[in-house]
Amino acid sequence: MELFLTLVSGIAWTLVYAEAIRLGLRQRTYAMPVAALALNFAWESTYAVNDVLGGVSAQGVVNIVWALADLVIVSTFFRFGRAELPEFVTRPLFAVWGVLVFGGAFAVQWLFLAHFGAHDASRYSAFLQNLLMSGLFIALFADRAGTRGQSLVIAVAKWLGTLAPTVLFGVIEDAPFILGLGILCGVFDLAYIALLLHHRTRTRTAPPGAPGLTR
């Protein structure tokens, strides 16, 4: 069961990243909220290295795949992200801000690791940043006034990719804190899915040129 749930999570999140890369390159944007992207990249890079040093495992292989995929998404942020910001944010200022965000994310992951140890830190930080991401995707929809850089594929795959480790760590390993965070992630993820479905219905039924229906 552990291997099955690990593979479900690995496949689902890999689908999230593949779709985010596709949308980012196609629509010339970044398809994951930057704070969540930074924390994800830092988590996956950190624990990919940690797992490789500790021996080959299914989760270690998954982490390497995720880190490489995230690296491409990071490149779309630095390539297209400046256009998402006000004009006073110059290219050099944007670069400095990006470095600070990603540097801060690595610092957060290493602080978790130093305080809790690899076993607990990997779980606590993963679920906390996952909950942050769930909320930020809804905020991204509101900020962009539509689904630019977003899709139901990302939304559903993220929900499934979080549900599997919630069952594994929260239920099977009997960790109430993880279970609670996983349930909260599920609530936000399902709300985001419902939001995208509602938007799709509105865009299909609204007359051409109707306001507030940016695709």
Side-chain angles (χ1 to χ4, degrees):
M1 180 60 73
E2 179 179 351
L3 178 59
F4 171 73
L5 291 172
T6 299
L7 290 176
V8 169
S9 178
I11 293 169
W13 275 103
T14 301
L15 185 58
V16 170
Y17 297 149
E19 178 70 353
I21 291 169
R22 185 188 74 83
L23 286 176
L25 294 175
R26 180 182 178 183
Q27 299 181 6
R28 299 182 65 81
T29 188
Y30 56 97
M32 186 178 292
V34 63
L37 173 60
L39 288 167
N40 262 26
F41 181 54
W43 189 97
E44 285 145 10
S45 301
T46 297
Y47 291 104
V49 172
N50 191 70
D51 289 338
V52 167
L53 294 177
V56 178
S57 67
Q59 187 61 57
V61 173
V62 167
N63 288 345
I64 292 172
V65 172
W66 287 347
L68 292 174
D70 258 342
L71 188 59
V72 181
I73 304 173
V74 171
S75 73
T76 63
F77 168 74
F78 280 102
R79 184 178 177 185
F80 305 124
R82 165 63 188 82
E84 306 277 345
L85 299 173
E87 291 185 3
F88 73 84
V89 182
T90 63
R91 177 64 64 176
L93 186 60
F94 171 72
V96 171
W97 174 66
V99 170
L100 287 174
V101 170
F102 282 86
F106 273 94
V108 167
Q109 299 298 348
W110 295 342
L111 287 170
F112 265 93
L113 191 59
H115 185 76
F116 293 105
H119 181 273
D120 288 342
S122 63
R123 288 159 171 74
Y124 296 162
S125 59
F127 277 86
L128 285 168
Q129 69 197 47
N130 206 334
L131 179 58
L132 174 67
M133 184 190 297
S134 297
L136 287 178
F137 264 117
I138 295 174
L140 185 66
F141 176 90
D143 183 60
R144 291 178 174 175
T147 56
R148 181 167 172 264
Q150 304 158 79
S151 77
L152 276 171
V153 172
I154 291 176
V156 174
K158 181 196 178 305
W159 170 56
L160 293 174
T162 305
L163 180 61
T166 298
V167 173
L168 176 57
F169 303 133
V171 178
I172 296 177
E173 294 189 2
D174 191 22
F177 180 65
I178 298 299
L179 179 59
L181 291 175
I183 291 172
L184 288 173
C185 287
V187 170
F188 278 92
D189 289 343
L190 289 173
Y192 181 56
I193 291 171
L195 185 64
L196 295 183
L197 287 172
H198 177 65
H199 181 269
R200 173 181 287 186
T201 301
R202 289 186 64 199
T203 55
R204 285 178 176 175
T205 58
L213 295 178
T214 305
R215 293 183 181 270

